[in-house]
Amino acid sequence: MSAMTVPNLAIGSDHHLMPVIGFGTAASPPPEPLLLKQTVLDAIKLGYRHFDTSPRYLTEEPLGEALAEAVSLGLVGSRSELFVTSKLWCADAHGGLVVPAIQRSLKNLKLDYLDLYLIHWPVSSKPGKYKFPIEEDDFLPMDYEAVWSEMEECKRLGLAKCIGVSNFSCKKLQHILSIATIPPSVNQVEISPVWQQKKLKELCKSKGIVLTAYSVLGSRGAFWGTPKIMESDVLKEIADAKGKTVAQVSMRWAYQEGVSMVVKSFTKERLEENLKIFDWSLTEEEMQRISTEIAQCRIVGGEVYISKKGPIKSLEEMWDGEI
């Protein structure tokens, strides 16, 4: 089977092209390296070109090995055909630590540059402590000015083509915009039919920031996952009427909302199914049903903030307030 073509979105002032569907590597527990490598190669054969990782996921090294093998096997013509995203973890979100952190990620990935580098969460933790979950006593407020300035330096140095944020609320995103010389290109957050982020979508659209959704299918199998999406009666009815799966309807909804997405599967059949959302569409009525008839409930929200002692603060405080 020939590789499917995934549409691109232009991000940042340089209009760097980002495939609207990315292959996500976050899993709990982390995927076995050989499984991840083989799945990435299968994904590239199917048409995936965007790969999302983070030091937190413990997947940078096997992903880098798989991408290098894909180039050497001729599955892609060159590195430039791939789009690779990684992230700045909380323990490195401090002045003086951002550039060394991206350099470590590049070494792990065996790459000269990232296409996109994101601040993983809008909070810092004690430098040098990479234990997860983060302990309550290790949280620190982020020095946004210092950290974002160094994110901009990553772009100026050519270590990242584009820079952005992840898990940033409207309030936190507006703060970054108020201090930025180079505004964020992307905000990667939880978006799905059960958590639609309408206010954040409006803000990002007005500022030219692309939203990337994670958990658009509910993160089945992860400790933070939910069955609410796959068991939604509204989505099931639409899927049955279309002859599609609930997963495809959920992804098509995100695509028609102008949102890019990162999805994960280690099953070749599902990887292929997830790409088959571009040759059909949802009607205005179907989009409206998803917008109005599905109860809203954040499912991932405060994952990073959970310690053995339980939630540090309410999700709403963590999302829009300060740690």
Side-chain angles (χ1 to χ4, degrees):
M1 176 185 170
S2 60
M4 289 180 269
T5 300
V6 177
N8 295 304
L9 283 172
I11 64 171
S13 59
D14 301 329
H15 304 291
H16 196 48
L17 295 180
M18 179 178 75
V20 298
I21 295 180
F23 176 91
T25 63
S28 176
E32 194 274 323
L34 287 176
L35 172 63
L36 178 62
K37 284 177 64 177
Q38 186 55 54
T39 306
V40 168
L41 292 173
D42 288 341
I44 289 173
K45 291 174 186 175
L46 288 169
Y48 289 82
R49 294 294 181 267
H50 179 182
F51 296 88
D52 180 275
T53 185
S54 166
R56 153 80 185 91
Y57 306 156
L58 305 177
T59 54
E60 286 182 328
E61 289 190 32
L63 174 59
E65 291 170 9
L67 297 180
E69 188 171 334
V71 174
S72 69
L73 291 173
L75 298 180
V76 291
S78 68
R79 154 70 178 100
S80 63
E81 294 181 23
L82 300 168
F83 188 103
V84 183
T85 299
S86 194
K87 306 179 185 80
L88 176 74
W89 185 241
C90 305
D92 294 314
H94 302 275
L97 299 184
V98 178
V99 173
I102 192 175
Q103 289 171 331
R104 278 197 308 277
S105 286
L106 290 170
K107 183 179 179 182
N108 289 339
L109 287 158
K110 300 179 175 64
L111 297 176
D112 296 324
Y113 68 90
L114 293 174
D115 295 274
L116 180 61
Y117 195 46
L118 305 175
I119 298 176
H120 202 149
W121 286 88
V123 68
S124 299
S125 60
K126 285 184 180 176
K129 296 188 73 172
Y130 294 94
K131 185 179 178 182
F132 184 84
I134 299 170
E135 294 294 334
E136 185 173 357
D137 293 341
D138 289 341
F139 282 99
L140 296 167
M142 182 180 287
D143 181 343
Y144 291 102
E145 288 84 351
V147 172
W148 189 253
S149 174
E150 293 191 21
M151 291 290 288
E152 293 180 342
E153 185 65 9
C154 291
K155 177 170 168 56
R156 280 190 285 267
L157 291 170
L159 302 175
K161 297 282 188 184
C162 300
I163 53 175
V165 296
S166 181
N167 299 299
F168 272 56
S169 63
C170 290
K171 180 179 175 181
K172 290 183 171 65
L173 188 57
Q174 286 170 322
H175 181 56
I176 289 289
L177 288 167
S178 75
I179 60 173
T181 302
I182 303 171
S185 301
V186 168
N187 186 14
Q188 184 182 123
V189 297
E190 178 191 343
I191 298 177
S192 73
V194 304
W195 191 247
Q196 297 185 16
Q197 300 269 37
K198 294 176 183 178
K199 182 181 172 186
L200 188 59
K201 274 184 209 160
E202 290 174 10
L203 174 64
C204 287
K205 185 176 181 180
S206 72
K207 301 297 184 182
I209 297 169
V210 170
L211 271 175
T212 298
Y214 66 76
S215 295
V216 73
L217 305 181
S219 294
R220 293 168 294 175
F223 71 84
W224 61 84
T226 180
K228 289 181 182 293
I229 295 165
M230 305 311 284
E231 295 178 2
S232 163
D233 289 337
V234 173
L235 295 177
K236 283 181 180 178
E237 287 174 20
I238 294 171
D240 288 344
K242 293 285 189 188
K244 305 297 179 183
T245 66
V246 169
Q248 287 172 322
V249 169
S250 184
M251 292 177 66
R252 180 70 200 190
W253 166 83
Y255 178 61
Q256 287 185 217
E257 286 283 308
V259 173
S260 62
M261 65 204 88
V262 171
V263 293
K264 177 192 84 255
S265 178
F266 296 105
T267 305
K268 191 172 182 180
E269 292 73 24
R270 280 200 186 135
L271 285 171
E272 186 174 349
E273 174 190 304
N274 288 345
L275 291 183
K276 292 181 176 179
I277 66 164
F278 300 114
D279 60 351
W280 57 278
S281 61
L282 295 167
T283 65
E284 285 186 29
E285 181 185 359
E286 288 163 341
M287 291 291 288
Q288 184 68 13
R289 285 195 69 194
I290 295 171
S291 177
T292 59
E293 295 182 24
I294 297 179
Q296 297 297 289
C297 174
R298 181 183 301 137
I299 59 171
V300 179
E303 175 226 343
V304 73
Y305 301 106
I306 306 303
S307 71
K308 292 178 182 177
K309 301 175 186 177
I312 294 166
K313 289 187 175 183
S314 74
L315 293 181
E316 290 308 320
E317 283 182 286
M318 291 186 292
W319 187 243
D320 260 328
E322 299 300 328
I323 295 294

